[in-house]
Amino acid sequence: MDAIVYTSETGSTKSYAEMLSRSTGLPVFSLVEAKKKLSSGAKIIYLGWIMASSVKGYSDAARRFDVKAVCAVGMGRTGTQLKEVREKNKIPDKTPLFTLQGDFDVKKLHGVYRAMMGVMVKTVGKALADKPDRTPEEDDMLDMMLTGSPRVKAENLKSVLKWYEGEKA
């Protein structure tokens, strides 16, 4: 494995990439930096943020590099949305896919993403708040939208690190 490459909008994906780098010893680059510093075909672990099941920057990274695993960071709980994310991004079945829950702060979003998520928080947040029989996942989502409490945690990388250790063997 040559490097960890990421695209981040609010900092959650960058935080995970840096944690993964510390645990693996692999260098970490933003996708913009990686295009300048890594050779075409370099073996990478790609981390990107999720927007409507699309992993931002993945298709660009996959065209340029040999993506050995994908970590998609979004609002959903770690380990969820795997089928939707794999299908939407056409991630090959042989490529390991991990989803990681990131932090949520509308104020850190830029441009159209900030406007879209502001509307989503108002509509979905109100619907969830008014729902009497919320699931634990819905409670978590509502808490995330209302409080922005931190979700980026080293423990969310356990599956990624287990896969990586198996790759090194």
Side-chain angles (χ1 to χ4, degrees):
M1 202 69 58
D2 298 312
I4 296 164
V5 177
Y6 71 90
T7 300
S8 189
E9 174 73 6
T10 65
S12 292
T13 308
K14 180 180 182 183
S15 293
Y16 276 123
E18 290 170 346
M19 282 183 213
L20 195 55
S21 175
R22 285 191 298 275
S23 295
T24 62
L26 292 170
V28 62
F29 304 102
S30 71
L31 182 56
V32 171
E33 293 170 322
K35 288 177 181 181
K36 297 173 190 166
K37 295 183 178 185
L38 296 176
S39 62
S40 183
K43 294 177 175 132
I44 67 163
I45 299 171
Y46 182 74
L47 287 81
W49 59 284
I50 300 172
M51 176 57 131
S53 297
S54 178
V55 180
K56 296 299 182 178
Y58 168 72
S59 59
D60 196 14
R63 278 192 300 275
R64 182 178 281 270
F65 304 113
D66 182 3
V67 177
K68 294 299 186 184
V70 176
C71 299
V73 180
M75 291 177 67
R77 285 189 168 178
T78 296
T80 62
Q81 303 170 306
L82 293 166
K83 184 176 187 270
E84 306 93 290
V85 170
R86 185 176 297 281
E87 288 175 0
K88 175 95 179 222
N89 296 278
K90 298 178 176 65
I91 298 169
D93 289 338
K94 67 178 177 51
T95 303
L97 170 63
F98 306 92
T99 56
L100 308 169
Q101 188 173 39
D103 297 338
F104 180 74
D105 184 348
V106 173
K107 294 178 214 89
K108 288 185 179 178
L109 292 167
H110 303 96
V112 69
Y113 300 122
R114 187 175 191 166
M116 285 171 33
M117 293 308 284
V119 169
M120 192 270 308
V121 166
K122 286 178 185 167
T123 57
V124 174
K126 179 169 177 12
L128 282 175
D130 292 344
K131 187 176 179 188
D133 55 344
R134 289 189 301 267
T135 65
E137 290 80 14
E138 290 169 332
D139 281 338
D140 185 55
M141 185 68 66
L142 182 60
D143 176 64
M144 177 188 282
M145 285 189 269
L146 296 178
T147 69
S149 58
R151 298 301 199 278
V152 173
K153 298 175 185 157
E155 67 192 52
N156 291 341
L157 289 170
K158 279 193 281 190
S159 295
V160 181
L161 291 168
K162 184 177 178 183
W163 164 81
Y164 179 74
E165 289 303 316
E167 286 297 295
K168 287 185 357 184

